[in-house]
Amino acid sequence: GNSVTQMEGPVTLSEEAFLTINCTYTATGYPSLFWYVQYPGEGLQLLLKATKADDKGSNKGFEATYRKETTSFHLEKGSVQVSDSAVYFCALTFTNTGNQFYFGTGTSLTVIP
Amino acid sequence: DADVTQTPRNRITKTGKRIMLECSQTKGHDRMYWYRQDPGLGLRLIYYSFDVKDINKGEISDGYSVSRQAQAKFSLSLESAIPNQTALYFCATSDLQGGGELFFGEGSRLTVL
């Protein structure tokens, strides 16, 4: 079956620290991979995505590389800010069907000044 | 105005009551979804619809029903609410041509006493 496993939180970092949130997946085909972010009191919004192996998605200083050999899509940022405090969700879907997104359980990040 | 609008944003109700959560969108997308978010469980798909005449069950459809009144409107109903349906509910839309990205509303927090 298809599933996403991501690092459990909560994660607390000091401002300017390096961030890694691990995400691994199981898929029966070749999915597209996503990171969504949920700021307090808001819905989820797309942070970045990658549609094929070795693609790197990037946005707002965040990066993630689609690693087929390790079935991973780890989220990284070199220097976090207080405004990055949010819940981060890893997800996959198959764009040729588009009907089923598989989400991880979410990782809460708090950045302290 | 938000592209995906959910009403109500917050609702407290009693066991056995009928509840409807409404979703409307201005993105012109054919595909609409209802998700439920619970702490530690991530997002789980309740129902999805590819167009006005198409309704499909997700992984946790028991106890819920939906209505797609128009391309822009997708409502979720709880016929007889129970306390374990207390959760945060999200409506989302997608456009297959957009690479599978989901666009979320801000959520409807439902509490069943």
Side-chain angles (χ1 to χ4, degrees):
Chain A
N2 303 305
S3 66
V4 174
T5 302
Q6 66 181 97
M7 174 177 147
E8 290 192 15
V11 175
T12 301
L13 295 174
S14 296
E15 206 166 21
E16 299 184 1
F18 184 86
L19 169 71
T20 299
I21 300 178
N22 291 334
C23 171
T24 57
Y25 67 90
T26 302
T28 53
Y30 300 99
S32 294
L33 301 175
F34 301 78
W35 277 101
Y36 282 85
V37 58
Q38 183 181 27
Y39 297 105
E42 299 183 11
L44 283 72
Q45 56 186 273
L46 181 66
L47 180 60
L48 54 85
K49 69 178 183 181
T51 58
K52 62 183 187 298
D54 298 325
D55 270 2
K56 177 185 284 187
S58 61
N59 186 25
K60 300 181 180 180
F62 291 89
E63 294 182 339
T65 301
Y66 189 142
R67 301 287 189 198
K68 183 181 173 184
E69 64 276 11
T70 54
T71 63
S72 65
F73 192 54
H74 304 321
L75 182 67
E76 297 182 336
K77 186 174 185 182
S79 177
V80 293
Q81 306 300 312
V82 172
S83 57
D84 294 327
S85 298
V87 181
Y88 293 82
F89 291 90
C90 187
L92 68 83
T93 193
F94 297 91
T95 52
N96 59 340
T97 61
N99 60 304
Q100 182 70 55
F101 283 76
Y102 299 85
F103 284 89
T105 55
T107 302
S108 175
L109 169 68
T110 300
V111 180
I112 55 177
Chain B
D1 288 342
D3 292 328
V4 183
T5 303
Q6 293 182 230
T7 56
R9 294 291 312 280
N10 288 285
R11 182 71 182 271
I12 300 174
T13 191
K14 295 182 178 180
T15 298
K17 294 293 187 181
R18 184 178 186 273
I19 295 298
M20 179 179 286
L21 306 179
E22 299 185 338
C23 177
S24 63
Q25 53 116 344
T26 58
K27 298 195 73 67
H29 290 166
D30 288 326
R31 300 176 178 220
M32 298 187 73
Y33 308 77
W34 275 104
Y35 284 90
R36 168 177 171 160
Q37 183 180 21
D38 297 279
L41 295 178
L43 274 74
R44 293 181 291 168
L45 183 63
I46 306 172
Y47 271 95
Y48 63 98
S49 169
F50 281 3
D51 63 39
V52 175
K53 298 180 180 179
D54 177 78
I55 301 290
N56 304 280
K57 293 183 177 180
E59 61 180 298
I60 56 162
S61 59
D62 288 349
Y64 301 95
S65 63
V66 291
S67 173
R68 184 81 183 266
Q69 301 95 325
Q71 186 208 34
K73 296 185 182 296
F74 192 37
S75 300
L76 176 71
S77 294
L78 289 69
E79 296 301 326
S80 180
I82 56 177
N84 76 1
Q85 291 177 313
T86 293
L88 184 57
Y89 291 85
F90 286 104
C91 176
T93 73
S94 76
D95 177 354
L96 185 60
Q97 280 66 43
E101 178 183 352
L102 285 172
F103 296 85
F104 285 84
E106 294 182 322
S108 296
R109 184 167 297 280
L110 177 65
T111 302
V112 183
L113 302 177

